Amino acid sequence: MSSTLALTILVIYFLVLIAISIYTARGADTNTFFTANRQSPWYLVAFGMIGTSISGVTFVSVPGAVGKIQFSYFQVVLGYAVGYWVIATILMPMYYRLNLISIYGYLEKRFGFWSYKTGSAFFLLSRTVGSAVRMYVAVQVLQLAIFEDLGVPFELTVLIAMALIFVYTFKGGVKTIIITDTLQTFFLLTALVLTIYLIAKQLNLSAGEVITSVTESPYSKIFVWDWANKHHFVKDFLSGAFIAMTMTGLDQDLMQKNLTCKSIGEAQKNMFWFYVVLVFVNLLFLSLGVLLYVYSEQMGFPIPAKTDDLYPSLALGNHFGTLAAVTFLLGITAATYASSDSALTALTTSFCVDFLKFENRSEKERQKLKQWTHIGFTGVFIIVIVIFKALNSQEVISAVFNIAGYTYGPLLGLFAFGLYNRRPVIDKFVPFICIASPILTYLVEELSIQLFEFEFGFSKLMLNGFITFVGLWIFSSNKAKEVKENVLA
């Protein structure tokens, strides 16, 4: 695929997104930006959340990782069911009851000022790093497909990519995101299905033969029972449950969309169907990975040292034809932008509500602060993406979950402690506990590897949350003032 064709497709794609943003931003105020006036249809939220959850990381890393870990990633997906059940039955009812804009407002009501600021700060750190890493995937593809041939340096590609997000989100915020993410999820799923079809066509496989090739392949092994393996079923299943709870239920990004639904009943319905579709989509991505490896083996295509590069190399190298290249470009762009645009909006929301005392300001002041915050986080994204390119040495999906294990752990510990007992904590010590917890998690993991050759893998998130929970218990007292009943779940 020529860089001219790729650039044309990209221009048309973003013109459509900008047109949607202009339409949805009519008459928008800061309440529209943050909550979409709580009028979003649940089915649009559920469908759009697929794109936000999948991201460009899943688009290239899950198929690529099949060669190393087979279908074992599906163990994590199975664990999501437990996490989403907790979100739908415990967390979301509490968020709706307290009428929250930022979900971290719960921590102030339950513990106090410093707990609230600490929780929000860890979200800002987690989502900024995680979403920047996801955005890095798309920027790499855009660089390879378009800008490298035009002599544009990677740093400028990053600037262009982030500027496009800013343009179509800065006015309408989450109201715009609900619509654009729905469109981008459609492109993502279309790209996935079309790619599988085109690879099957290259391999002369019928639909039935595709299913047989996948199920009979050694790459389709799901369950791992070697306890020393970091992908042992119990580790991955529990990790999936806690990853869902934290990276969805304790994450302002995805919860902000759920809180735009008209009622708690619609939000819960959204969560159920979101999981059902997510399971199916992940199975398709894993099946795509098998087909990519089968194709590479039959055609003698060398597997890249970095497996994230397998899908892009085959798709953009015209192994499956121009349609596949166009499909891949649209899919990776849609997947990553669906994740990154909502993250940018959520970061702006969290910072404005949690740190700038937004509720006490006039609408004119709110608009100005919201715009400058949006610009600021766009700049932070650019810096983090450039730094990550210089430092990254592992598959991106592993990097994202590795980062999440350290940054989301304190959030898990804070919410778990607040929801499952009535002990008040000594609020001023909470920031120190939450900073110490990731450090102790890292030390415990390193010691475990050296002494027992045991890797925590994705389950470090649970260890981190447990250490935070214990720290909060140590710095709490039954003699302190009684916790308000309406805050407890």
Side-chain angles (χ1 to χ4, degrees):
M1 180 173 61
S2 69
S3 57
T4 303
L5 175 60
L7 184 59
T8 301
I9 293 168
L10 196 68
V11 169
I12 294 172
Y13 180 80
F14 281 103
L15 285 175
V16 172
L17 294 184
I18 291 170
I20 291 172
S21 73
I22 292 172
Y23 175 77
T24 56
R26 290 176 181 174
D29 58 12
T30 51
N31 287 326
T32 306
F33 186 95
F34 296 144
T35 68
N37 304 115
R38 301 194 190 279
Q39 293 297 312
S40 300
W42 70 266
Y43 46 86
L44 286 185
V45 177
F47 191 69
M49 278 177 61
I50 297 296
T52 304
S53 177
I54 292 296
S55 83
V57 174
T58 305
F59 204 81
V60 297
S61 286
V62 168
V66 164
K68 291 186 176 181
I69 63 172
Q70 294 83 48
F71 265 37
S72 64
Y73 176 67
F74 195 65
Q75 298 177 132
V76 177
V77 177
L78 291 174
Y80 288 168
V82 177
Y84 291 136
W85 178 83
V86 171
I87 294 167
T89 60
I90 297 174
L91 292 175
M92 288 200 304
M94 179 187 71
Y95 297 151
Y96 268 85
R97 187 174 70 251
L98 296 177
N99 196 31
L100 300 175
I101 295 176
S102 167
I103 62 174
Y104 309 110
Y106 162 76
L107 297 176
E108 183 173 36
K109 296 175 185 293
R110 174 63 176 86
F111 297 127
F113 175 86
W114 288 110
S115 300
Y116 170 42
K117 301 302 180 184
T118 301
S120 182
F122 267 90
F123 162 72
L124 295 175
L125 173 64
S126 303
R127 183 47 80 174
T128 299
V129 175
S131 294
V133 169
R134 292 175 172 91
M135 191 66 193
Y136 161 75
V137 174
V139 174
Q140 276 190 314
V141 173
L142 294 177
Q143 183 70 13
L144 178 65
I146 303 174
F147 296 107
E148 199 167 86
D149 288 345
L150 300 176
V152 177
F154 179 83
E155 291 75 13
L156 183 56
T157 304
V158 176
L159 182 62
I160 294 169
M162 289 306 305
L164 289 170
I165 291 181
F166 177 83
V167 166
Y168 74 82
T169 60
F170 85 100
K171 181 67 175 176
V174 72
K175 183 180 179 181
T176 298
I177 295 301
I178 297 297
I179 306 300
T180 56
D181 279 5
T182 300
L183 178 66
Q184 292 182 126
T185 299
F186 171 78
F187 281 125
L188 183 159
L189 297 181
T190 301
L192 174 58
V193 173
L194 263 178
T195 303
I196 290 174
Y197 168 76
L198 292 169
I199 295 175
K201 188 176 179 181
Q202 289 286 322
L203 295 172
N204 295 314
L205 297 175
S206 66
E209 290 170 331
V210 168
I211 295 172
T212 302
S213 296
V214 171
T215 56
E216 293 183 356
S217 168
Y219 292 119
S220 64
K221 176 185 175 185
I222 295 177
F223 301 106
V224 178
W225 302 110
D226 177 7
W227 184 251
N229 192 310
K230 65 181 179 181
H231 294 293
H232 184 278
F233 173 75
V234 174
K235 296 180 191 176
D236 272 5
F237 183 85
L238 291 177
S239 296
F242 283 95
I243 285 168
M245 286 180 216
T246 53
M247 297 182 73
T248 299
L250 306 183
D251 185 286
Q252 176 67 23
D253 184 356
L254 288 165
M255 282 298 98
Q256 184 170 359
K257 291 181 178 180
N258 279 277
L259 293 175
T260 67
C261 291
K262 298 175 183 179
S263 67
I264 179 59
E266 291 207 354
Q268 289 171 322
K269 192 187 301 181
N270 152 57
M271 187 58 61
F272 171 77
W273 285 108
F274 165 64
Y275 176 69
V276 170
V277 177
L278 190 65
V279 169
F280 177 69
V281 170
N282 273 286
L283 278 175
L284 286 179
F285 272 110
L286 290 166
S287 299
L288 171 61
V290 172
L291 293 176
L292 290 172
Y293 278 93
V294 169
Y295 176 88
S296 299
E297 290 166 3
Q298 289 192 15
M299 302 300 174
F301 182 81
I303 305 298
K306 193 175 179 181
T307 57
D308 285 351
D309 294 335
L310 177 61
Y311 185 13
S313 298
L314 289 171
L316 296 177
N318 281 328
H319 286 265
F320 313 132
T322 302
L323 179 58
V326 171
T327 296
F328 173 80
L329 182 63
L330 278 175
I332 187 71
T333 304
T336 305
Y337 272 79
S339 174
S340 300
D341 56 15
S342 61
L344 186 60
T345 302
L347 289 165
T348 299
T349 300
S350 180
F351 190 80
C352 287
V353 174
D354 297 336
F355 289 96
L356 298 182
K357 296 182 179 179
F358 226 55
E359 67 279 2
N360 299 326
R361 298 178 184 272
S362 67
E363 179 61 25
K364 184 177 180 180
E365 287 181 296
R366 290 184 181 192
Q367 289 284 3
K368 185 176 180 180
L369 286 172
K370 181 259 295 180
Q371 183 170 333
W372 279 110
T373 302
H374 213 53
I375 293 171
F377 276 110
T378 302
V380 171
F381 265 53
I382 292 170
I383 294 169
V384 174
I385 292 169
V386 173
I387 292 174
F388 188 81
K389 182 180 186 298
L391 298 179
N392 181 50
S393 61
Q394 58 182 315
E395 284 80 2
V396 176
I397 194 165
S398 296
V400 169
F401 283 131
N402 195 42
I403 292 167
Y406 292 112
T407 57
Y408 278 93
L411 282 173
L412 175 61
L414 278 167
F415 275 83
F417 190 91
L419 288 168
Y420 291 106
N421 74 85
R422 298 174 181 273
R423 294 171 68 94
V425 300
I426 304 174
D427 185 48
K428 63 183 180 181
F429 290 119
V430 170
F432 302 102
I433 295 168
C434 291
I435 291 171
S437 180
I439 297 172
L440 290 173
T441 299
Y442 174 79
L443 294 175
V444 170
E445 184 177 38
E446 289 298 306
L447 191 62
S448 174
I449 293 172
Q450 292 177 20
L451 295 180
F452 309 110
E453 297 183 352
F454 177 87
E455 292 186 70
F456 281 92
F458 297 158
S459 60
K460 68 166 64 70
L461 174 65
M462 292 180 283
L463 173 63
N464 197 350
F466 176 74
I467 292 173
T468 303
F469 190 101
V470 171
L472 293 170
W473 185 275
I474 292 171
F475 288 94
S476 65
S477 172
N478 279 327
K479 296 179 181 180
K481 61 183 180 180
E482 187 176 340
V483 180
K484 291 181 181 179
E485 290 290 334
N486 68 330
V487 177
L488 295 170

